[in-house]
Amino acid sequence: MDTSSPTVFVNGELLKLYMGRRVRTVVQVIRNEGGAVVGQSTDNQQLTVKGPNQSVPVMNFMEVIGVADGPQSIRAEICTDFGSNFDTASYNGLCKLANGQFKNLFL
Amino acid sequence: MYASHQDGGASHFYGGGFMPSQATQTPDQAGSSKTRSSTTSTTVPLTIKQITEAYHLNDERADFLIDGVEPSLVRLLGRVLNKAERVTDVSFLLDDGTGSIEVTRWVSDSFDTDEMTKIENGMYIVLIGKLKAFQGKRHIGAHAVRPVQDFNQITLHFMECIHAHLDNSRKATAVPATTSAMNDMRAYQTLNVGTGASGDIRDVVLSVFQEPASLARENGLHVNEIIRRLGLQEQKIREAIEYHVEVGNIYSTIDDDHYKSACNG
């Protein structure tokens, strides 16, 4: 990240609330479709990730940091391979807490 | 018990400065709060946003107050950016998604250098270090830096930040309730405090002012610190403060935004 603007933790549901803003989420890679990656969010929604760094293998988890440019799409700036062992339930819970009661700690 | 023994019921009279200060009156309380902050070494997991918003107590001593706690060490997790290696130290910017802060890691032996050569830009790391301020700018002096290998640690770290925040906030507001000296005051207050949501907010606001840490501060607390601590609307907090000023529980100190409890604990 070059800028120090805060990045919101989102899941599929929360993504649509932050259109046009920098967000971060973790998806499980389902397939690669020529330049875009289709992934499953931690709350089981399908998200499309466009942009560079698409070298994460299918079935692995990928963290995406980028700008939300659609209710189910992110224009990625940075993608990181999070491996095959990632707890989606906890991450999903964190997204809800970070956007709800404890938003003041994060944003 | 202390209150009735030593001031003979005088604590009922909120003299606003006429009573001896809390530190001398109830040595047990003051002693316990000092012990808590000086002998216990606290490592607090934090988000960088919490650091940038932390209340800075004293410019020379570089002490910060977060959720009523003065952490001796902080734990942060984020990405490394702009790593710069120099002869005696390695510095970089840590970005955890809530903000960024400059970090310096002094390297004095091969163990330190080895630790730092593994760290590259873009990598997720966990660090333990001391929070410092220099000329108004905050930065971290890192004691230990480790790369994140299991990414579940990221979720865990932020969960722990939330947990520590809840724990410290709850502890801070619970302290006045457990001291027996407060019992007289509480009884007095229940006559005045209204029922319902406004009554609860007034209670909570007053208890923040009555913490030993708050009483020890000469100029009391700034309104914004209360707002940040409790996470409530400014309007509601200002209303609670106005109420307490009217009944004489708190008074303004250096300006209209600083208030201090008039009670001696």
Side-chain angles (χ1 to χ4, degrees):
Chain A
M1 272 170 279
D2 293 324
T3 61
S4 58
S5 56
T7 323
V8 193
F9 279 98
V10 298
N11 55 14
E13 194 59 46
L14 294 160
L15 181 63
K16 48 177 81 71
L17 299 176
Y18 292 99
M19 297 283 287
R21 287 186 60 175
R22 178 179 255 111
V23 296
R24 68 196 307 177
T25 190
V26 173
V27 296
Q28 187 173 22
V29 179
I30 299 175
R31 62 178 181 276
N32 276 294
E33 309 187 323
V37 167
V38 176
Q40 180 156 319
S41 70
T42 53
D43 56 349
N44 297 323
Q45 288 191 20
Q46 279 210 358
L47 302 180
T48 311
V49 178
K50 297 169 243 172
N53 315 48
Q54 308 292 305
S55 51
V56 178
V58 176
M59 290 313 285
N60 267 18
F61 292 92
M62 175 171 82
E63 187 198 39
V64 181
I65 298 174
V67 179
D69 65 353
Q72 277 160 334
S73 145
I74 301 177
R75 194 176 63 241
E77 288 168 11
I78 304 173
C79 293
T80 312
D81 185 350
F82 268 21
S84 52
N85 171 28
F86 190 75
D87 187 341
T88 50
S90 304
Y91 191 87
N92 205 43
L94 175 64
C95 290
K96 290 191 208 158
L97 291 172
N99 283 285
Q101 197 182 356
F102 301 101
K103 203 167 177 173
N104 57 314
L105 298 182
F106 293 86
L107 281 183
Chain B
M1 186 154 69
Y2 278 106
S4 53
H5 177 70
Q6 283 173 300
D7 25 334
S11 64
H12 286 292
F13 300 98
Y14 303 126
F18 293 117
M19 294 293 123
S21 74
Q22 192 256 352
T24 54
Q25 184 99 24
T26 50
D28 239 18
Q29 264 177 299
S32 64
S33 70
K34 281 205 180 66
T35 320
R36 210 180 304 127
S37 58
S38 62
T39 61
T40 45
S41 169
T42 53
T43 304
V44 186
L46 295 173
T47 65
I48 293 174
K49 171 142 197 286
Q50 281 178 289
I51 290 178
T52 47
E53 293 198 331
Y55 189 82
H56 194 179
L57 279 180
N58 186 322
D59 266 326
E60 285 125 39
R61 285 173 57 213
D63 282 339
F64 293 84
L65 205 64
I66 298 176
D67 297 331
V69 169
E70 289 180 38
S72 32
L73 291 175
V74 301
R75 190 172 83 228
L76 301 174
L77 186 154
R79 301 182 90 100
V80 171
L81 298 169
N82 305 338
K83 181 185 173 196
E85 274 184 63
R86 288 186 283 270
V87 181
T88 51
D89 68 273
V90 178
S91 71
F92 55 90
L93 195 69
L94 188 77
D95 188 329
D96 72 348
T98 71
S100 50
I101 195 167
E102 274 178 37
V103 180
T104 307
R105 174 83 165 90
W106 299 98
V107 284
S108 49
D109 56 32
S110 59
F111 179 81
D112 299 336
T113 358
D114 286 343
E115 195 182 78
M116 289 314 291
T117 36
K118 286 191 237 127
I119 310 297
E120 291 165 36
N121 279 327
M123 215 181 212
Y124 272 105
I125 54 133
V126 185
L127 72 83
I128 309 243
K130 203 144 170 46
L131 180 55
K132 297 172 186 171
F134 183 64
Q135 293 172 344
K137 205 165 165 220
R138 289 149 199 228
H139 65 270
I140 303 278
H143 295 181
V145 176
R146 267 173 290 130
V148 171
Q149 268 138 3
D150 181 342
F151 293 96
N152 287 306
Q153 208 173 352
I154 298 177
T155 314
L156 177 62
H157 171 76
F158 289 108
M159 289 294 203
E160 287 180 330
C161 292
I162 292 175
H163 180 85
H165 167 74
L166 271 178
D167 224 17
N168 291 330
S169 315
R170 211 176 286 144
K171 231 182 272 171
T173 52
V175 163
T178 55
T179 59
S180 53
M182 289 293 157
N183 287 342
D184 289 342
M185 203 118 53
R186 296 230 126 210
Y188 188 88
Q189 270 174 264
T190 47
L191 296 173
N192 292 328
V193 178
T195 52
S198 63
D200 293 333
I201 291 179
R202 287 179 192 163
D203 273 343
V204 168
V205 168
L206 186 64
S207 59
V208 175
F209 280 111
Q210 285 171 341
E211 284 166 29
S214 311
L215 289 170
R217 284 207 237 156
E218 213 187 300
N219 293 327
L221 298 174
H222 194 284
V223 174
N224 285 341
E225 217 220 324
I226 310 273
I227 294 170
R228 236 180 281 135
R229 270 280 295 279
L230 301 178
L232 297 168
Q233 287 175 349
E234 181 174 349
Q235 182 57 27
K236 290 202 194 307
I237 289 182
R238 284 200 181 267
E239 275 170 7
I241 287 177
E242 260 177 53
Y243 166 80
H244 285 303
V245 171
E246 262 176 71
V247 294
N249 289 341
I250 63 176
Y251 62 97
S252 62
T253 56
I254 49 177
D255 61 30
D256 277 343
D257 288 327
H258 286 85
Y259 293 92
K260 191 174 166 162
S261 167
C263 324
N264 58 344

